[in-house]
Amino acid sequence: MATMESLISLVNRIQRACTILGDYGGDSGGAAAASLPTLWESLPSVAVVGGQSSGKSSVLESIVGRDFLPRGSGIVTRRPLVLQLHKTEPGITEYAEFLHKQRERFTDFAMVRKEIQDETDKITGKSKQISPVPIHLSIYSPNVVNLTLIDLPGLTKVAVEGQPESIVKDIENMVRLYVEKPNCIILAITPANQDIATSDAIKLAREVDPAGERTFGVLTKLDLMDKGTNAQDVLEGRAYPLQHPWVGIVNRSQADINKNVDMIAARQREREFFSTSPDYGHLAGRMGSEYLAKLLSKHLESVIKTRIPGITSLINRSIDDLESELDHLGRPVAIDAGAQLYTILELCRAFDRVFKEHLDGGRPGGDRIYGVFDYQLPTALRKLPFDRHLSLQNVRKVVSEADGYQPHLIAPEQGYRRLIDGALNYFRGPAEASVDAVHFILKEIVRRSIGETQELKRFPTLQAEIASAATDALERFREDSKKTTLRLVEMESSYLTVDFFRKLPLEAEKGGDPTVSNVDRYAEGHFRRIGSNVSSYVGMVSQTLRNSIPKAVVHCQVKEAKRSLLDLFYTQVGKKEGKQLAALLDEDPALMERRQKCARRLELYKNARDEIDSVSWAA
């Protein structure tokens, strides 16, 4: 039957998988990250906090049983070290793996130390600067318990030479970033030869965990205290009580480190120190690095057990969000030419549906075409300069020039025709303007439709090709529409409405005097009547064109765009070969990477759910 230790090991594996996928305390690259904490953040881990030279590194090495961390004076840990311990079967050779060198196993732990130093220097240089970018290290050994420990830069009070003045606050902010998370267990390291009231680690732990529910206090350097003094008040919880017991640690001395004293021997010396100490002998059973490791592991068992429902709920919600995001991003493109052609045609049809929705009112945009006919065209017609064209002076000039050297006898027909032709020529402007206005609206609708077609967002090349093909088609429709609308104007000029002009002599005779001479026909009132008659006729034509121009524009541009916007493109695509089709479906690299990350993360979350279910049920 599976144990809770199996679940701790599983959490370790999930955390490692999270780090490999980049799902670590930050943007998971998708919808899951937008509303939920990352899977890593939901899993408990232990952050090691302490002042510089407090013995943090020695505590970690004691727990691991290996000498593998860089040492020196001042600030040594300059980047967070995420240390994952994996307990293996007895007899298995110990080894270490770095996330940045996943395929390389380190069996020489001196090389592990060198790699940590080199990787730190890559980011910070050989200075005393710090960086929040973590180093991820996994150690597989039969001599460890399953744990995730995060070694953080030591807290300090002053900046030394080579460090910026902000280093004190920078380190504190970095440490807070980890210990403020509710799933973080705080391992607060304090030297025994320092007053507990001045402990940097305890001060910070009290701020983020005032009830002490997540804090484990560790006293180091018990063997270095002044003779006649001891730390019983702290270790027994009287000086500064915590909900969890204090643990005392005796690290290797610098002389032991210089002599490369074996960790197993160091642990034995630590046990002997407590068992033979008159001050701590009664506490020996719960002192030392081995006890600390087991205590943390046991606490993790209880934490994980209580967090399983919440972790499972987070995973299930994240799976739903990731699956929705994958549906939104689309599945990978097929490599078969026939399937690619089918995909392209489906994408074109999706664009065409959106385009038609804009025209038919399902989406905004088509109403602007109606605005051209209902406002722009009538306004343009009203602004035509007919008043100037049919002014008394111009009518007299045109009619006189039309008569030539002989005066007209009954009616100035040529004058009428010239005045009408000149007036009708003005209609060309509004006709062309209407065509152009609708053309630009259709182009804008094409642009918006491409942007709103979700399926197309994956394929910038195909977007550009569709936009180009649609624009070319709209240009053809515009030319045809312009020819048609101008032909309507020309038709009005080609044949005048006969009935209208047949009435003119009759209307003139009704109020006329047959004794009036021809000379009187050149009086001002006569020219005013001609201008008025022509104006009436032009008004009639204007009303006709106001109704017929929109019909021509809609027929030649809007209807054609709905019917055959991409017909030529379909013909051209059908002639393309496999490589050309693949080029059209060349996705945005950023989108491809996002889909791949999303798919890998989804696989991680599903595997995590299945494993947690199986282990927790067995437990």
Side-chain angles (χ1 to χ4, degrees):
M1 184 173 67
T3 63
M4 285 305 297
E5 184 175 309
S6 302
L7 192 55
I8 297 174
S9 177
L10 170 61
V11 167
N12 257 6
R13 295 200 305 274
I14 294 173
Q15 285 177 324
R16 178 164 175 77
C18 286
T19 61
I20 291 173
L21 293 181
D23 190 21
Y24 171 74
D27 182 18
S28 68
S35 58
L36 300 171
T38 63
L39 178 54
W40 171 280
E41 291 174 330
S42 72
L43 301 174
S45 58
V46 181
V48 185
V49 181
Q52 289 182 19
S53 303
S54 62
K56 291 191 300 89
S57 296
S58 294
V59 171
L60 285 174
E61 288 183 332
S62 296
I63 291 175
V64 175
R66 280 290 187 173
D67 188 357
F68 68 98
L69 292 172
R71 291 183 177 276
S73 60
I75 180 169
V76 178
T77 303
R78 290 180 283 127
R79 290 175 60 184
L81 175 67
V82 180
L83 175 62
Q84 293 181 305
L85 304 181
H86 304 264
K87 185 175 181 61
T88 60
E89 295 297 325
I92 301 297
T93 303
E94 293 177 294
Y95 67 92
E97 282 184 348
F98 287 92
L99 181 63
H100 60 273
K101 289 188 174 181
Q102 292 181 42
R103 298 182 181 179
E104 184 175 349
R105 289 188 176 185
F106 292 76
T107 55
D108 183 351
F109 281 80
M111 296 304 296
V112 173
R113 182 190 304 112
K114 182 178 184 303
E115 183 63 27
I116 292 173
Q117 187 66 57
D118 291 345
E119 191 64 18
T120 298
D121 291 344
K122 279 185 182 179
I123 301 295
T124 64
K126 295 184 180 296
S127 65
K128 297 180 181 179
Q129 304 293 325
I130 64 168
S131 169
V133 180
I135 298 173
H136 296 272
L137 171 64
S138 292
I139 294 179
Y140 299 81
S141 169
N143 302 317
V144 300
V145 294
N146 291 303
L147 277 176
T148 294
L149 300 160
I150 305 172
D151 187 21
L152 297 166
L155 298 164
T156 184
K157 292 182 172 63
V158 294
V160 299
E161 185 178 355
Q163 294 178 338
E165 289 298 324
S166 63
I167 191 74
V168 176
K169 197 64 179 176
D170 292 343
I171 292 176
E172 182 179 336
N173 290 339
M174 184 192 304
V175 174
R176 283 183 181 275
L177 185 66
Y178 288 88
V179 299
E180 285 179 340
K181 295 175 181 176
N183 290 305
C184 178
I185 298 167
I186 304 168
L187 195 62
I189 310 295
T190 301
N193 55 0
Q194 171 187 319
D195 188 345
I196 193 68
T198 64
S199 170
D200 296 319
I202 291 299
K203 177 178 179 292
L204 182 59
R206 183 164 48 192
E207 291 177 7
V208 299
D209 180 32
E213 297 175 348
R214 300 187 287 116
T215 303
F216 283 79
V218 176
L219 274 187
T220 61
K221 304 183 181 183
L222 288 166
D223 55 330
L224 301 181
M225 294 184 69
D226 292 337
K227 289 185 178 181
T229 63
N230 61 54
Q232 286 185 12
D233 283 350
V234 176
L235 293 176
E236 292 177 354
R238 292 190 298 274
Y240 186 80
L242 293 171
Q243 292 198 19
H244 305 287
W246 282 82
V247 179
I249 299 289
V250 175
N251 299 322
R252 290 182 301 167
S253 66
Q254 188 60 48
D256 290 339
I257 294 171
N258 294 339
K259 294 177 183 178
N260 292 321
V261 172
D262 182 75
M263 277 291 183
I264 303 301
R267 283 182 177 178
Q268 180 60 34
R269 288 187 184 181
E270 184 183 45
R271 285 194 293 270
E272 291 175 357
F273 172 84
F274 285 112
S275 63
T276 61
S277 170
D279 294 322
Y280 311 117
H282 65 293
L283 300 173
R286 53 186 180 90
M287 295 290 115
S289 55
E290 288 182 288
Y291 174 78
L292 176 62
K294 292 176 182 177
L295 178 66
L296 292 174
S297 181
K298 184 177 180 180
H299 180 68
L300 273 179
E301 290 180 7
S302 62
V303 170
I304 292 172
K305 191 170 183 178
T306 58
R307 301 285 168 82
I308 284 178
I311 294 172
T312 303
S313 176
L314 165 66
I315 289 174
N316 288 332
R317 284 182 290 164
S318 298
I319 287 173
D320 291 340
D321 287 343
L322 288 166
E323 286 181 335
S324 296
E325 185 172 4
L326 269 180
D327 290 338
H328 176 72
L329 295 174
R331 302 299 171 176
V333 180
I335 58 175
D336 175 69
Q340 289 174 341
L341 177 60
Y342 176 80
T343 299
I344 291 172
L345 296 178
E346 282 295 300
L347 292 169
C348 290
R349 281 190 279 269
F351 155 76
D352 197 51
R353 284 194 297 272
V354 175
F355 178 75
K356 289 177 179 176
E357 286 175 7
H358 277 289
L359 292 178
D360 293 335
R363 297 172 186 254
D367 55 309
R368 292 174 58 198
I369 295 176
Y370 174 75
V372 172
F373 304 143
D374 189 56
Y375 175 74
Q376 290 180 243
L377 177 60
T379 300
L381 293 175
R382 286 195 300 271
K383 289 182 178 180
L384 291 176
F386 294 133
D387 289 345
R388 185 177 68 251
H389 181 69
L390 298 177
S391 66
L392 181 62
Q393 294 81 358
N394 196 56
V395 171
R396 178 185 286 111
K397 177 176 177 295
V398 172
V399 171
S400 300
E401 290 175 352
D403 280 346
Y405 70 93
Q406 292 188 5
H408 60 267
L409 300 177
I410 299 176
E413 182 174 338
Q414 290 301 320
Y416 267 106
R417 289 189 179 276
R418 289 188 183 184
L419 285 170
I420 292 173
D421 284 344
L424 297 186
N425 193 55
Y426 286 118
F427 287 116
R428 297 174 62 90
E432 290 183 312
S434 298
V435 171
D436 290 339
V438 171
H439 173 75
F440 289 119
I441 292 172
L442 291 174
K443 281 182 65 176
E444 173 63 17
I445 290 177
V446 165
R447 187 191 66 78
R448 291 180 60 179
S449 299
I450 289 175
E452 293 173 10
T453 305
Q454 294 296 329
E455 300 91 331
L456 269 179
K457 291 185 177 180
R458 298 168 53 187
F459 309 106
T461 301
L462 183 58
Q463 285 185 44
E465 290 294 321
I466 290 177
S468 176
T471 299
D472 289 345
L474 291 179
E475 287 290 348
R476 294 194 302 272
F477 302 154
R478 173 163 72 168
E479 290 305 312
D480 185 38
S481 181
K482 192 166 289 187
K483 290 177 182 177
T484 301
T485 54
L486 291 179
R487 190 173 290 119
L488 289 175
V489 175
E490 292 169 358
M491 287 166 57
E492 293 294 341
S493 300
S494 299
Y495 187 78
L496 306 182
T497 304
V498 179
D499 290 343
F500 182 89
F501 291 99
R502 282 178 177 169
K503 298 175 182 177
L504 293 181
L506 297 176
E507 292 175 356
E509 290 174 1
K510 286 180 182 179
D513 185 348
T515 63
V516 177
S517 66
N518 281 336
V519 177
D520 293 330
R521 294 181 182 272
Y522 290 94
E524 181 177 310
H526 179 62
F527 290 118
R528 289 191 183 280
R529 280 195 300 274
I530 293 175
S532 176
N533 292 334
V534 171
S535 178
S536 298
Y537 184 76
V538 170
M540 180 186 71
V541 172
S542 177
Q543 187 60 44
T544 301
L545 292 177
R546 178 177 174 176
N547 294 328
S548 59
I549 287 176
K551 295 179 180 179
V553 171
V554 169
H555 177 76
C556 296
Q557 289 174 267
V558 181
K559 289 289 186 182
E560 279 300 302
K562 288 179 64 177
R563 186 183 67 84
S564 60
L565 184 64
L566 296 180
D567 279 5
L568 183 58
F569 182 68
Y570 292 146
T571 302
Q572 294 171 342
V573 168
K575 297 176 182 178
K576 292 184 182 295
E577 298 179 354
K579 289 184 178 180
Q580 295 171 310
L581 295 173
L584 287 177
L585 295 175
D586 183 20
E587 288 188 90
D588 182 349
L591 195 62
M592 293 175 65
E593 182 181 1
R594 184 177 171 188
R595 183 194 299 112
Q596 291 168 358
K597 285 183 177 180
C598 189
R600 290 198 301 268
R601 187 164 288 106
L602 179 61
E603 183 180 8
L604 162 66
Y605 276 57
K606 286 184 174 179
N607 289 340
R609 178 185 61 185
D610 295 342
E611 289 197 59
I612 288 176
D613 285 347
S614 63
V615 174
S616 59
W617 274 107

